[in-house]
Every structure is written in structure tokens, then in C-alpha cells.
Amino acid sequence: PLLFALHPREDMRVVARYDQMPPTRPLAVDYEVSTSETWNLMLHLDAHDPASMLSFSPSPSQGWSSDMPFDTNEFPFSITAQGSIIDSWGYWQRSEIIAEPPPSPVNCPDSCGSLPSNITLVPFGGTNIRIAVFPWTLSKPRVPTSHAVHGPGSSVPSFTLAEGWPGAALASNRQSEGGIA
């Protein structure tokens, strides 16, 4: 299976250079990677069919190239999901380390800090800074705005959600039900 992740904008700062000591390595640098974008998001899922809340796009981002498949700014395909800020998820003991996500399903009236909006998930391997484990809340089903995640027999890859999620193992052959896997 392919793992997808939220990919917030990366702020990169050089913290060490290695071009002053032998052997000279002008391209060898150490980076501190951080973000100022919102990362504490939860997914909105339908309890009976979580995949119906996700929309797969097989189109690459504008600058993606197979010559650089794990470019951290571009991606070959993505998933759009509904997400919102979860106020109760922050940093561990006032550090810069992200705390464990709150237990799911999240009680949205108590914890939601924003209205649901679209978030983009990209392949995990093309990210330096990422969130790949999300808390979730239950939402009413919606009609996907682009095309849905397709199952076996399709040219679009299918996927599964990890055990423990409502409706785990979603990649099934339900093409008679509109192609949603």
C-alpha cells in the first residue's frame, strides 16, 4: 500500500555547512525543516464508508517529473479529504515535538476549531515534514467533488485504511456502486 500524508509548506534553514573543512563538500549542509502552516487537522469520515469522503486525483502537480519522483515540492497524484483544525491537538509538554493525536472519533462540537475544508494528501515519500496519522470525526456522507477512489480493475490505484478505522480494508471491488473502493 501507498501511504499518503499532509505536506505543509517547508521552511528550510541551513544550520551547519561543511565547506570549510577537508575534504571540501560545498553541497553538504544540515537543514532545520519546520513549518508555519496549520498541521493539527482531523479528517471528516463517513462511519459506513470512509472512502466516500476521499477523492483521488491521478493528475500530477504542475512541476512534477518522473526524473525526480520524490521531489518534495511536486507530486505525481494526490488525495483530497475534508479536514478541520482540532484545537485539542498541539505540542508535547510545550516543546516543538507534536503530541500524540487525540483519540478518535473526536467530538467535533467540543474540539473543532474551524469549519471543514479541503486538504490535500500526497505520497509520504515525497515529504520532509508531514502528518500521516490523523484523528477523525464522523460526518454525513457527501458526493465527491472530483472522481472517487477507484477499486481493482481500474487504472487508478485502490487503497485501504489501517485497521481500527471505521470501515477498514476499503479497497474492494464495488465498481457497480459508482467505482468507490
Side-chain angles (χ1 to χ4, degrees), residues 55-117:
S55 180
F56 182 85
S57 173
S59 302
S61 60
Q62 188 172 4
W64 187 81
S65 166
S66 60
D67 293 338
M68 295 277 295
F70 296 109
D71 183 331
T72 59
N73 296 312
E74 306 295 336
F75 44 88
F77 39 77
S78 62
I79 291 177
T80 301
Q82 287 286 302
S84 60
I85 296 171
I86 179 166
D87 292 330
S88 62
W89 189 17
Y91 293 103
W92 177 71
Q93 297 181 359
R94 294 177 292 284
S95 68
E96 292 185 17
I97 300 169
I98 294 174
E100 286 187 37
S104 297
V106 173
N107 184 354
C108 210
D110 295 339
S111 298
C112 291
S114 69
L115 294 174
S117 60

Side-chain angles (χ1 to χ4, degrees), residues 42-50 52-53 82-84 105-106 108 112 116-117 136-142 166:
M42 71 176 147
L43 298 180
H44 291 259
L45 300 176
D46 173 17
H48 302 291
D49 190 6
S52 69
M53 303 295 284
Q82 287 286 302
S84 60
V106 173
C108 210
C112 291
S117 60
W136 49 268
T137 190
L138 299 176
S139 296
K140 294 180 180 163
R142 69 168 175 85

Side-chain angles (χ1 to χ4, degrees), residues 27-60:
L27 299 179
V29 295
D30 290 344
Y31 290 102
E32 175 184 277
V33 183
S34 62
T35 188
S36 57
E37 289 191 346
T38 301
W39 57 266
N40 55 333
L41 300 170
M42 71 176 147
L43 298 180
H44 291 259
L45 300 176
D46 173 17
H48 302 291
D49 190 6
S52 69
M53 303 295 284
L54 306 173
S55 180
F56 182 85
S57 173
S59 302

Side-chain angles (χ1 to χ4, degrees), residues 163-175:
E163 276 190 44
W165 286 64
L170 296 174
S172 63
N173 194 3
R174 290 188 273 158
Q175 292 160 343

